[in-house]
Amino acid sequence: MVSLRDPTVSGTHGRLLVLRASVALVVAMGLGRFAYTPILPLMEQQAGLSGGSAATLATVNYLGYLLGAVLATFLPVLTRSRAALRVSLVALVATLAAMPLTQSLPVWLTLRGLAGVASAVVFVFTARVAHQELSGRRDGAGWVFGGVGGGIALSGLAILALGGDADWRTGWLVVAALAAAMSALAWTLPGGRPQPHAVGGAGRVPRRNRVAFGWLLAAYFCEGLGYIISATFLVAAVASLGTATWLGSVVWIAVGLAVVPSCVVWMRLARRHSHVAMLTVAMTVQAAAVAASAVSGSAVVQVLGALCFGGTMIAIVTLALAEGAVLVGARAPAIATAVYGVGQVLGPLTVAPLLDGGYAPALTVGAVVLAAGVACTLPLLWMERRARARPRATG
């Protein structure tokens, strides 16, 4: 395992480690979870997948992801075991490759559920690498999480390259082949050792911090529920507008490309301002982007909305978890991830009854939920400003 004091962490070795870790997230998230989004319109057109079944498939995948995250919380060995990483990478490739072998909805549900569990294990393993092995490298973790966007863009490019008359089966096989190739680069990510329990610093959290954390969780729940609606159905929504067949893939590529630098950019802004201020701004931008996608059929608006959506979706996660750690300490990520995961599971289920009438109503619901999340950040802003003003008032 690379020592945190090893100077090579900030040199060539560090850059290679960032690359390999980001590639792991390309496989786990961009391909393993979100390749479903650009393939969904093909499955609806060619495999007879209904809107309700599409929502159910998405829900099962997100439920599997939540289960995987909970398992990692109670079995922390999963975050440092190379065997767990490798089994999960193989499982992701296998579940992607098996999707075109059947048109049975129960089998698809099983495959997407297993893919969700495997993607969560790879994600938590990689997050541990990013925060443990790259803690001394400025912006290293941000670029690692940008790998999610790289995978999203790659999946969109793959479907775009196949053409408008591509077969849905070919789409899954191409994504599986890409995941297999990328897994080879992530195969040797370093395992870890059990971390000693912190001594001290685990005292009672002040009431103000607990109240603030409650508002943060409320905002983060809304984010999980609202963003996942767009992340699941955005390409299908664009395809349903009757515009050029390539626009859906281009929109999805734009989402991915915007994700890549987003964590680095927003965290730099947060160091200048604050996590809460930037979280509020990012969620506002995202709500506006989803609302624009819901009401406009313009290709320009759709692409700009996709750039704003992608430029905030993973950055919001980074900002929220960082603020949670400030408020209540090391237990914050596990609690917040569970709340966010519940929101993701509920998102597709919430809009499923609306999908027979098109995707615009679903995206509208997503925008409204995200706006509610913005409202939940306002008490946090007020509490933060009050806390900053207090020393001046008493000094």
Side-chain angles (χ1 to χ4, degrees), residues 150-169:
I152 289 173
L154 185 60
S155 67
L157 282 168
I159 303 305
L160 181 63
L162 290 175
D165 57 349
D167 185 81
W168 67 274
R169 298 177 183 85

Side-chain angles (χ1 to χ4, degrees), residues 222-236:
C222 291
E223 169 63 17
L225 198 158
Y227 110 90
I228 205 63
I229 294 171
S230 186
T232 302
F233 300 117
L234 180 59
V235 175

Side-chain angles (χ1 to χ4, degrees), residues 213-228 283 316 320 335-347 350 369-370 372-373 376:
F213 188 56
W215 283 111
L216 180 67
L217 289 179
Y220 203 43
F221 171 80
C222 291
E223 169 63 17
L225 198 158
Y227 110 90
I228 205 63
M283 290 188 67
I316 287 171
I335 299 171
T337 298
V339 169
Y340 184 78
V342 172
Q344 288 187 110
V345 170
L346 293 178
T350 300
V369 172
L370 290 170
C376 291

